[in-house]
C-alpha cells in the first residue's frame, strides 16, 4: 500500500514540476499572482456576505424564531441607539476565530436542509439543546463574542447598580466567571430551565432576599439577571 502511495506522490510531483512548454516563467508567475488576488478577494467577499444579518435571517426558521425574539430585547432597541446584529453575538471579530466559527457553523446547513427546526414547534422542542450548545461555546471561548462590544476595562462601575458592580469586580475582573455564566437569555427567550445546571450563581451573601427570596433556585436567579439586561 505504501508503495502505491509513494508512487502516486512521485507521479504527481513529476507533473507539478515539469516545465511549461507553451508559457514562460514570468507569465506563469504573474498569472499565479493575479489568480491568488482574485481568489482571496472572492473568498473574503463571500465571508463578509455570510457575516451579515440579512444572510442570517434569510432562512425562515431564523427570522421567525431567534430574530423575532431579538427584536424585543435591549440589544435591538435601546436609549443609546446601538443595535447588535446576529453576527455581533455569534461570530468572533478576529479572523482566525471567525474562520473557525464559520467551519463549525457549516454543520448547521444540514439542519436547514433537513428541516430540523423549520417550524415553531420544532424550534421550541430543540430550544434547550440549541441554547446549551451556545452556552458551552461561549463558556469555552471566555465569552469572546460578548467581548466584541463589551470590555471590563471600559466599564464605569459607578454607573452600574451596586450589586452588578460588586459581581463584576469580584468575579469578572478576576476571571472566575465569564459573561455567559450570568447573562443567559438576554437576546433570546430562555428555555425551560428546570433541572438545568446554571453554571454559576452569585454567592449566598450577595443574593438579595428582597429580590430572590430566602432560597432562590437556579432558574429564578437566571431570570432575574436576564431581566436586569432588558431594563
Amino acid at each position: 500500500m505504501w508503495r502505491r502511495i509513494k508512487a502516486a506522490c512521485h507521479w504527481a510531483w513529476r507533473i507539478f514540476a515539469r516545465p511549461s512548454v507553451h508559457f514562460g516563467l514570468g507569465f506563469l508567475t504573474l498569472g499565479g499572482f493575479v489568480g491568488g488576488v482574485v481568489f482571496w478577494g472572492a473568498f473574503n467577499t463571500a465571508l463578509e456576505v455570510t457575516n451579515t444579518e440579512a444572510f442570517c435571517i434569510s432562512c425562515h426558521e431564523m427570522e421567525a424564531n431567534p430574530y423575532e425574539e431579538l427584536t424585543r430585547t435591549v440589544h435591538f432597541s435601546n436609549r443609546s441607539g446601538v443595535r447588535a446584529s446576529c453576527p455581533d453575538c455569534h461570530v468572533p471579530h478576529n479572523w482566525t476565530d471567525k474562520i473557525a466559527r464559520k467551519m463549525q457553523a457549516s454543520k448547521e446547513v444540514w439542519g436547514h436542509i433537513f428541516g430540523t427546526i423549520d417550524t415553531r414547534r420544532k424550534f421550541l422542542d430543540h430550544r434547550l439543546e440549541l441554547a446549551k450548545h451556545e452556552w458551552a461555546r461561549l463558556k469555552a471561548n471566555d465569552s469572546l463574542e460578548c467581548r466584541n462590544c463589551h470590555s471590563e476595562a471600559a466599564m464605569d462601575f459607578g454607573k452600574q447598580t451596586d450589586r452588578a458592580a460588586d459581581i463584576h469586580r469580584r468575579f469578572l475582573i478576576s476571571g472566575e466567571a465569564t459573561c455567559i455564566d450570568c447573562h443567559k437569555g438576554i437576546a433570546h427567550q430562555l428555555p425551560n430551565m428546570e433541572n438545568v445546571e446554571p453554571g454559576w450563581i452569585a454567592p449566598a451573601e450577595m443574593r438579595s432576599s428582597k429580590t430572590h427570596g430566602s432560597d432562590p433556585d437556579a432558574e429564578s436567579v437566571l431570570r432575574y439577571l436576564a431581566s436586569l439586561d432588558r431594563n
Side-chain angles (χ1 to χ4, degrees):
M1 179 179 178
W2 287 110
R3 287 183 178 179
R4 291 181 179 179
I5 295 175
K6 185 177 180 179
C9 291
H10 183 66
W11 174 81
W13 173 251
R14 281 191 300 155
I15 296 295
F16 179 79
R18 187 169 59 189
S20 173
V21 177
H22 303 289
F23 301 101
L25 179 61
F27 179 85
L28 293 175
T29 301
L30 180 62
F33 175 77
V34 172
V37 170
V38 171
F39 169 80
W40 189 250
F43 176 79
N44 277 283
T45 299
L47 188 67
E48 291 307 312
V49 168
T50 60
N51 202 41
T52 61
E53 188 172 84
F55 177 83
C56 294
I57 63 175
S58 61
C59 299
H60 166 74
E61 55 264 42
M62 292 293 103
E63 182 178 17
N65 295 298
Y67 181 73
E68 192 279 330
E69 293 176 0
L70 172 65
T71 61
R72 292 184 269 115
T73 70
V74 71
H75 276 91
F76 189 85
S77 180
N78 51 71
R79 62 182 179 274
S80 65
V82 177
R83 176 174 294 177
S85 65
C86 306
D88 290 326
C89 297
H90 293 282
V91 182
H93 285 186
N94 296 332
W95 195 85
T96 52
D97 295 316
K98 181 188 295 186
I99 293 299
R101 177 70 183 112
K102 291 291 185 180
M103 293 175 64
Q104 182 187 46
S106 64
K107 298 184 295 184
E108 298 167 9
V109 175
W110 292 105
H112 172 67
I113 293 174
F114 291 105
T116 304
I117 55 171
D118 59 355
T119 67
R120 180 66 178 174
R121 182 70 264 164
K122 290 181 181 179
F123 175 75
L124 293 176
D125 290 341
H126 285 83
R127 184 193 287 277
L128 179 58
E129 178 187 358
L130 297 171
K132 283 183 174 181
H133 284 317
E134 282 300 285
W135 296 340
R137 186 177 64 81
L138 288 166
K139 177 70 173 177
N141 70 12
D142 194 20
S143 303
L144 184 60
E145 284 86 335
C146 300
R147 299 175 192 275
N148 284 345
C149 299
H150 301 278
S151 167
E152 60 267 30
M155 286 183 179
D156 185 346
F157 295 117
K159 294 183 179 180
Q160 298 180 0
T161 63
D162 292 341
R163 185 174 183 277
D166 193 15
I167 289 176
H168 286 150
R169 287 193 186 97
R170 291 178 57 181
F171 301 101
L172 183 64
I173 300 299
S174 67
E176 183 175 335
T178 188
C179 310
I180 197 61
D181 286 324
C182 300
H183 298 281
K184 296 180 175 73
I186 60 172
H188 308 294
Q189 294 177 15
L190 284 170
N192 182 359
M193 300 298 288
E194 185 177 358
N195 299 322
V196 175
E197 172 58 46
W200 186 88
I201 299 179
E205 68 271 16
M206 299 185 71
R207 301 178 200 164
S208 168
S209 59
K210 179 180 179 181
T211 301
H212 297 299
S214 59
D215 186 22
D217 59 16
E219 182 178 1
S220 65
V221 173
L222 286 170
R223 292 191 182 279
Y224 170 71
L225 291 171
S227 71
L228 293 179
D229 290 309
R230 295 192 179 98
N231 296 327

